[in-house]
Amino acid sequence: MKINTLLHKIVLQAFVMAGVVSFLFASRALAGIVDSGKLTEAEYWILNNNAGDQVVLEEDGIEDFNKKICEAKLDVTDMKALPDGIPVREILPWITNTWAMGGTVYRNGKELTEAEKAEIRENLNLEALPGERESAAVRYGVTVRHTMVRNLPLADGLFDEPEDVFYDNVQDSVLEPGEPVAVLHESKDKKYYYVRMYNLFGWIARNDIALCTAEEWMRYADPKDFLVVTGREFYTRVNGEDVYHLMGGKLLLLQERKNRWQVLLPYKDEKTGMLKEKQTWLAKDEALHRGYLPYTSDQVIRQAFKFYGSVYGWGGAMQSVDCSSLVGSVYRTMGLNLPRNTSKLVKVPGEVTDFTGLGHEERLAAFENLKPGSPVSLAGHIMIYLGMEEGKPYVIHSSSSYYKDGRKIYVRRVLVSDLELNRSTGKSFLDSVINVICYR
């Protein structure tokens, strides 16, 4: 009995010491990225987030917030209030912006020739648009799969370096299955539709959109009952295809039973190009939630960590997220519709803490009073604030790279870090923060 007790104490002491070592390693976290330990776990930050379970905005507040976003001219629109036509003058700045093939760029490892650039411009089919003082008529469409949003009607990527495969200039964003889009135009080769979506204009492969009536479209633009994908991802099966859904997507809900949901899944009639729908039952799954999640600080953190370790997906490529789509996907699960790009996200209305003109120590002090879950904006990058640890602010973000000793270090994943990482300017992330916004 005494021997067993002694062994028990020795083993217990060993575990305690191991925990202390782990604690010290995790807390100190080497300046920069945290690769293991408690700081890489959502529950640690949630446990240390005072009042993190308090609702930030109720349903009415979220509706008002989305209205403010639309009124702020940040490229976000209320799809259910879309007019029958969109002025061509609103479309032209987007459709004529061919920056993706400016200068020297490479396709499939070979330099894109001027003749090839001319072919791509020709495929924009600009002469088929109405006059600049007129409006492009809206045709109604619904996405039938996880689809890429392109800034040119082109499947191939265009890259600044011949060996690059990660940073495709043509890739802008993604849309999930069942998203309502306004079809405004089509490419000359008829392989792409030019569409208005809730936070962007862009080209989408024609095969990924089913045309439909205004009445059918409104079911997706203003669903009365729906499931939200709250897991990192989810799959459905429709018309012989495994359909991928990323966090933030919706499924139209028909009815609920004890252990299952009946949903309506869209697909495309390949002969007519029109919308068809399939009713199917899904087993209840923790990756789905009926309606939006409550908007709380804890919920933002919990959702963000579901992407932890995921590959960095430029423009939402590789079925993953970049910095802005991480923020967008997380907040969409709570019903907030955000701009696509960091240049607009920094201007979102809310409870704004402006870091302009603050010194290093003032910046550290400011983070002490910020709500975890709030997006932190730098020029060209956005992160989600987690909280303070040993006097340092920590964030979770989808990071492409940082700089060390003047060298660019690629990481290309969703990670946790402090703000001591450096930018190309030589300044730390902390000293580069523009603002932190609690969306209200």
Side-chain angles (χ1 to χ4, degrees):
M1 185 72 169
K2 289 181 180 178
I3 293 175
N4 287 341
T5 302
L6 180 60
L7 284 173
H8 175 75
K9 287 182 178 179
I10 292 170
V11 170
L12 183 60
Q13 187 175 28
F15 272 107
V16 169
M17 290 304 296
V20 169
V21 172
S22 173
F23 170 81
L24 290 173
F25 176 78
S27 330
R28 289 173 183 162
L30 304 177
I33 297 168
V34 186
D35 283 322
S36 62
K38 64 182 184 180
L39 303 189
T40 64
E41 299 170 1
E43 287 309 311
Y44 174 77
W45 298 105
I46 289 170
L47 284 171
N48 287 278
N49 183 17
N50 294 332
D53 58 350
Q54 290 183 1
V55 174
V56 179
L57 288 177
E58 300 283 0
E59 185 177 343
D60 289 347
I62 290 173
E63 187 175 337
D64 289 341
F65 172 84
N66 286 335
K67 285 180 182 177
K68 286 190 288 186
I69 289 282
C70 293
E71 293 166 357
K73 297 182 179 179
L74 299 175
D75 301 333
V76 179
T77 193
D78 181 358
M79 293 300 286
K80 64 180 180 292
L82 209 65
D84 295 334
I86 295 181
V88 172
R89 65 177 181 274
E90 290 184 19
I91 303 169
L92 283 176
W94 294 81
I95 199 171
T96 59
N97 187 354
T98 58
W99 72 269
M101 56 181 179
T104 301
V105 292
Y106 299 86
R107 176 165 65 176
N108 300 320
K110 297 180 180 179
E111 185 176 339
L112 193 69
T113 67
E114 290 303 318
E116 289 173 319
K117 291 181 181 181
E119 288 178 7
I120 294 170
R121 289 191 185 94
E122 181 70 14
N123 199 33
L124 296 175
N125 202 20
L126 297 179
E127 66 276 8
L129 281 169
E132 191 171 346
R133 295 184 178 182
E134 300 178 64
S135 292
V138 166
R139 284 190 290 169
Y140 298 98
V142 172
T143 53
V144 296
R145 58 183 59 87
H146 178 83
T147 185
M148 303 295 155
V149 181
R150 314 286 281 169
N151 57 56
L152 293 171
L154 184 68
D156 293 335
L158 299 181
F159 301 89
D160 291 336
E161 303 293 337
E163 68 279 3
D164 187 11
V165 296
F166 296 104
Y167 304 98
D168 175 9
N169 290 342
V170 186
Q171 180 62 24
D172 265 357
S173 190
V174 295
L175 276 183
E176 301 313 306
E179 294 275 3
V181 296
V183 177
L184 306 171
H185 182 57
E186 63 182 312
S187 59
K188 183 161 282 189
D189 63 8
K190 299 190 181 301
K191 292 182 179 179
Y192 282 83
Y193 283 136
Y194 196 73
V195 308
R196 177 56 154 130
M197 62 212 76
Y198 79 96
N199 65 354
L200 210 59
F201 285 91
W203 296 95
I204 292 180
R206 183 171 176 154
N207 288 340
D208 292 345
I209 294 177
L211 298 178
C212 61
T213 66
E215 183 180 4
E216 290 171 327
W217 186 84
M218 192 55 72
R219 285 205 298 267
Y220 294 87
D222 189 22
K224 303 308 176 190
D225 205 356
F226 55 89
L227 302 176
V228 176
V229 178
T230 56
R232 186 207 178 283
E233 60 193 11
F234 188 76
Y235 282 90
T236 55
R237 178 94 178 159
V238 59
N239 200 30
E241 179 182 354
D242 289 324
V243 178
Y244 178 85
H245 305 251
L246 190 70
M247 180 189 291
K250 294 178 186 174
L251 289 77
L252 299 189
L253 181 62
L254 299 176
Q255 57 178 316
E256 181 178 9
R257 292 289 183 264
K258 183 178 180 181
N259 297 312
R260 56 186 183 154
W261 287 297
Q262 188 184 39
V263 296
L264 193 65
L265 301 177
Y267 67 100
K268 183 173 183 172
D269 186 315
E270 295 304 328
K271 291 183 179 179
T272 65
M274 301 302 290
L275 176 69
K276 297 191 77 172
E277 296 168 317
K278 174 187 176 182
Q279 296 182 12
T280 191
W281 287 94
L282 300 175
K284 288 193 173 179
D285 191 289
E286 62 181 11
L288 300 173
H289 184 271
R290 186 171 186 173
Y292 295 121
L293 293 170
Y295 172 24
T296 69
S297 176
D298 283 350
Q299 200 68 261
V300 173
I301 294 170
R302 189 174 291 112
Q303 290 302 115
F305 268 94
K306 291 178 182 179
F307 283 107
Y308 179 77
S310 295
V311 65
Y312 175 87
W314 171 262
M318 296 184 282
Q319 296 185 339
S320 195
V321 290
D322 58 15
C323 65
S324 52
S325 54
L326 168 65
V327 174
S329 294
V330 165
Y331 275 91
R332 262 198 121 186
T333 65
M334 287 159 265
L336 286 74
N337 292 328
L338 299 176
R340 170 65 186 95
N341 297 315
T342 54
S343 61
K344 304 295 182 180
L345 284 165
V346 72
K347 301 175 183 177
V348 169
E351 189 177 295
V352 181
T353 302
D354 188 358
F355 279 71
T356 305
L358 297 185
H360 186 84
E361 294 303 321
E362 291 173 309
R363 289 166 176 264
L364 284 174
F367 270 102
E368 292 278 6
N369 300 314
L370 296 180
K371 182 181 285 296
S374 301
V376 180
S377 287
L378 317 179
H381 191 52
I382 192 164
M383 309 169 287
I384 294 175
Y385 177 54
L386 295 174
M388 301 292 288
E389 180 72 9
E390 294 192 349
K392 294 192 293 186
Y394 281 79
V395 291
I396 183 169
H397 51 129
S398 187
S399 175
S400 170
S401 61
Y402 66 98
Y403 282 77
K404 184 176 182 180
D405 300 326
R407 294 185 305 114
K408 193 172 189 177
I409 310 295
Y410 285 102
V411 285
R412 297 194 186 101
R413 59 189 168 94
V414 179
L415 52 81
V416 172
S417 76
D418 60 28
L419 297 179
E420 293 182 16
L421 298 172
N422 282 344
R423 310 207 80 199
S424 60
T425 59
K427 294 174 65 175
S428 70
F429 278 34
L430 175 62
D431 291 327
S432 303
V433 172
I434 298 170
N435 65 29
V436 179
I437 306 175
C438 176
Y439 299 146
R440 288 185 181 275

